[in-house]
Amino acid sequence: MPKVHTRLDLDVAVLTLDNPPVNGFGLEQRRLLIEALDQAAADPAVRAIVVTGAGALFSGGADIREFGKPEMIASPHLLDVLQVAEYSAKPVVAAIHGTCMGGGLEFSLACHGRVALAGALVGLPEVKLGLLPGSGGTQRLPRALGLARALDLIVSGEPVPAAQLREGALFDAVVDEDVVGAACALARQLAQAGQRPRLREREVPDAPASAQELLGARRELARRQYPRQPARLHAIDAVAASLGDFEAGMELERWLFFALLATPESHAMRHAFFAERAAAHVRGVPADTPVRPVRLVGVVGAGTMGGGIAMNFLNAGLPVVLVEARQEALERGLATVRSNYEASARRGRLSAEQVEQRMALLRPSLDFEALAPCDLIIEAVFEDLQVKREVFQRLDAVAREGAILASNTSTLDLDAIAGFTRRPADVVGMHFFSPANVMKLLEVVRGGQTSAQVLATVMRLARSIGKTAVVSGVCDGFIGNRMLEHYGRMAHFLVEEGASPQQVDRALEDWGMAMGPFRMSDLAGNDIGWAIRKRRYVDKPQVRYSRLADRLCELGRFGQKTGAGWYRYESGSREALPDPEVDALIRQYRHDIGVSARAVSDREIVERCIYALVNEAARILEEGIAQRASDIDMVYLAGYGFPLWRGGPLMWADMQGSYMSARRMREFAAQPGGDAAFWEPAPWLARLAARGAGFHEA
Ligand code: NAD
């Protein structure tokens, strides 16, 4: 239940916002705050008012539980609360600690004074939802903080510690302790002035002479940094209006806010925001499921993945036992971890001391016995079921009772791996992505017998190391790579039919993908896909593959690591350069299979590749491999460079409409060489199309 507590500190009324978890400004809270402000104003014993937050923070802003519900726009609005505070005859001072974001910061900007704890994080993150601050933030923050710093905060959406915002008039004081005491002192001082409090954040500011130049430069930068995100540019437009009349600026801000609310970009970004939260909920694992303490982590294998996996835990202050089979592999792994940290230190992200602290948490060993005290052990050895068998049997023998045994396998059957132990309920998949210390996505693979406790623990742990965890059932490739295989197949067919790898990459990158499929394959190693295809030719002979990529691999063109793949690379450079040898290879291949090249449009490239993701996703939903459509979107947003402002492949499909999606797939099926079996709309999609419903309404 939202509450606002009032207590008296001599002649100052201290109002405490109490609405867990983030003291959000929901409808009831808005009402209660107005009532508390009115009561304090009417109380003759009160000379001034301080507003603070209960618990760990001031306020996180809007109450996201109201998003899309009538309460969100019901009266009184946040703007009304701000007006009541601003026009109070008694000075109102905000005492800010913990976090003060969005509407929380906008409220404090309407107060007559603000005091913050040095470590408090303040920010206006609305652009991350494709919106802009809609309660005066774009008008008051530039007046309080100056144009340039306000633009930094509003256009990036990133929070900043109060200590970095001492300059300007945002805070009357930044203190190291007793923020409420300091706020009370300021409130009394303002009351002593005797007049009505000054409305300084409404005054027309002295614009710096270079204001227009600055705004122009920021627009240019925003266009480059955030292509296709209208919110960033509109935020600058609104801030520009803060140089003039306050009310006119407020009107423009309102107008732009509602215009942005209707954009597909904002719709997609809000979807992604909720998708991330939804992914944390695991079916059959209630919120009160006990979690096991994880204080010591073990990692087996110090190769490409093992070292990066270990770094995640070292970064979070957890000690890691790293076990290898061979001394030189162990040394190489340790050296890689150190060199990654040293690179961060060179970029100023870590101090030399922090590098040493993290390295000191790492306990290398060649002996499995060293894993005995670990609470969680993650296996990252060769992708070979026999090797996994040997490792899991040894883990089963040494691990303590209750330890969680995780595998980082990309393709192998987790249930088979769990079956190598006498404790399959303790076995889970933790599928990290490369580089494991950087990539946000973690697919948590739920085996047939994985216990609820183990899942709850791993999901919680994932959040504590900054990962976005999505649960997947057991299947080849899990959610992400299973879909990617078909995306890659389509990219290869498109080249077979007449596009060039450069055209395919450019079309998808222009559309918003961080990296086109050929550049991505060169980065990951073309040999990985080759190995998978060789297996498929035997296991799934009915699935069609272009053999073009095999020819490339037969020439040893594995990508960046061999200096040549779909592109060529100069030594020491990652720049993908077109290669006439590849062009010749493609021409020869088309000749050999009797295809004459045709012009392929960028639209066809994008649609065939993205719809391939969509159709496979629908099969994944049908099989229950993913718990919900938004989880699939999250996998692509967090792990595959899918543009946030498109909301994920299934949000994109919903924007096209299920009927039109199915229709387009049937068109692809009818094309010569069109892979009709694949393009038959999956039953899940066909059912949606029959009702005209979307993946996210289902
Ligand atoms: P890698 O070859 O780079 O490293 C594997 C390491 O395991 C080697 O250093 C090897 O010495 C060690 N090892 C082998 N047998 C061992 C044993 N019995 N005991 C201890 N150490 C042993 O492989 P990788 O790329 O790090 O892949 C590891 C796992 O992660 C595989 O299951 C792979 O499918 C999966 N994975 C890889 C990627 C990727 O992009 N490379 C991404 C996700 C998942």
Side-chain angles (χ1 to χ4, degrees), residues 413-468:
D413 180 351
L414 187 81
D415 288 324
I417 292 175
F420 300 147
T421 73
R422 288 160 301 170
R423 39 174 132 181
D426 290 336
V427 178
V428 67
M430 288 178 80
H431 185 218
F432 288 84
F433 287 72
S434 180
N437 53 319
V438 176
M439 295 296 291
K440 287 272 291 173
L441 179 64
L442 176 69
E443 281 182 322
V444 172
V445 184
R446 177 181 203 159
Q449 297 191 55
T450 308
S451 79
Q453 267 195 15
V454 166
L455 283 165
T457 306
V458 170
M459 295 302 281
R460 167 85 61 89
L461 189 66
R463 201 169 39 206
S464 72
I465 60 171
K467 298 289 177 197
T468 300

Side-chain angles (χ1 to χ4, degrees), residues 300-306 323-326 329 332 368 379-384 387-388 390-391 394 407-412 431-434 524 528:
V300 189
T304 309
M305 295 305 288
V323 170
E324 250 295 337
R326 295 169 298 126
R332 200 169 344 110
F368 268 62
E379 163 278 310
V381 302
F382 301 135
E383 187 75 339
D384 177 309
V387 181
K388 305 275 190 206
E390 189 215 310
V391 167
R394 290 175 73 185
S407 172
N408 184 46
T409 179
S410 311
T411 54
L412 301 174
H431 185 218
F432 288 84
F433 287 72
S434 180
I528 296 181

Side-chain angles (χ1 to χ4, degrees), residues 454-579:
V454 166
L455 283 165
T457 306
V458 170
M459 295 302 281
R460 167 85 61 89
L461 189 66
R463 201 169 39 206
S464 72
I465 60 171
K467 298 289 177 197
T468 300
V470 177
V471 172
S472 170
V474 177
C475 70
D476 195 339
F478 311 124
I479 297 172
N481 286 344
R482 173 167 159 182
M483 287 161 62
L484 192 73
E485 187 171 338
H486 298 285
Y487 173 87
R489 268 188 339 112
M490 292 309 148
H492 293 168
F493 286 141
L494 286 158
V495 171
E496 193 173 289
E497 290 167 34
S500 66
Q502 295 90 301
Q503 188 200 353
V504 173
D505 281 350
R506 190 188 32 74
L508 283 157
E509 286 165 15
D510 286 351
W511 183 83
M513 297 298 287
M515 198 184 276
F518 293 100
R519 284 211 298 137
M520 189 164 83
S521 188
D522 270 2
L523 176 66
N526 295 320
D527 49 323
I528 296 181
W530 194 23
I532 293 173
R533 284 191 303 278
K534 284 185 208 160
R535 262 198 294 137
R536 296 283 183 264
Y537 298 152
V538 180
D539 299 347
K540 295 188 176 168
Q542 72 282 10
V543 181
R544 278 191 53 212
Y545 288 86
S546 165
R547 301 293 172 118
L548 175 60
D550 298 355
R551 288 219 184 158
L552 189 84
C553 289
E554 282 156 15
L555 299 175
R557 300 187 66 117
F558 292 164
Q560 286 189 16
K561 61 186 169 190
T562 58
W566 294 102
Y567 297 89
R568 66 182 182 84
Y569 299 85
E570 301 204 326
S571 126
S573 160
R574 289 172 176 270
E575 192 191 347
L577 302 167
D579 190 343

Side-chain angles (χ1 to χ4, degrees), residues 40-253:
D43 184 345
V46 170
R47 293 184 65 207
I49 302 163
V50 163
V51 180
T52 181
L57 80 171
F58 181 77
S59 170
D63 193 331
I64 60 164
R65 291 168 294 196
E66 285 187 353
F67 267 49
K69 294 193 186 147
E71 292 92 316
M72 187 183 167
I73 47 166
S75 167
H77 306 137
L78 183 56
L79 274 173
D80 301 326
V81 184
L82 268 57
Q83 281 228 358
V84 172
E86 193 176 25
Y87 285 110
S88 161
K90 298 176 183 175
V92 182
V93 174
I96 296 166
H97 74 296
T99 305
C100 179
M101 301 282 273
L105 182 57
E106 291 181 295
F107 171 78
S108 75
L109 282 163
C111 294
H112 309 108
R114 286 168 293 277
V115 179
L117 270 187
L121 280 180
V122 299
L124 291 171
E126 288 79 359
V127 287
K128 293 187 172 179
L129 299 180
L131 299 170
L132 51 71
S135 298
T138 64
Q139 302 307 300
R140 291 192 177 96
L141 190 67
R143 284 173 162 86
L145 193 59
L147 196 59
R149 291 299 275 136
L151 281 167
D152 292 345
L153 258 73
I154 293 172
V155 179
S156 74
E158 294 299 335
V160 174
Q164 289 179 20
L165 301 171
R166 285 178 203 268
E167 285 147 43
L170 177 57
F171 298 118
D172 299 271
V174 176
V175 296
D176 291 321
E177 53 185 23
D178 191 17
V179 66
V180 173
C184 288
L186 173 66
R188 274 188 202 105
Q189 205 183 317
L190 292 174
Q192 258 155 19
Q195 316 128 356
R196 279 188 85 86
R198 182 178 153 199
L199 305 183
R200 66 182 180 204
E201 265 75 63
R202 286 181 169 250
E203 294 162 6
V204 175
D206 300 328
S210 56
Q212 291 311 323
E213 209 178 304
L214 175 69
L215 288 163
R218 292 303 179 93
R219 283 197 178 93
E220 203 40 55
L221 187 66
R223 268 188 209 103
R224 261 188 289 125
Q225 256 182 335
Y226 311 104
R228 307 283 289 271
Q229 291 196 32
R232 316 270 177 169
L233 287 169
H234 282 335
I236 299 175
D237 296 340
V239 170
S242 74
L243 296 171
D245 173 64
F246 180 81
E247 290 298 345
M250 288 296 283
E251 248 175 66
L252 179 71
E253 182 194 86

Side-chain angles (χ1 to χ4, degrees), residues 262-298:
T263 58
E265 289 84 2
S266 174
H267 188 57
M269 288 160 91
R270 281 176 284 141
H271 162 70
F273 178 83
F274 287 106
E276 181 154 18
R277 274 147 193 81
H281 298 282
V282 184
R283 229 168 257 159
V285 182
D288 58 359
T289 304
V291 295
R292 300 183 187 171
V294 177
R295 301 193 189 93
L296 180 63
V297 177

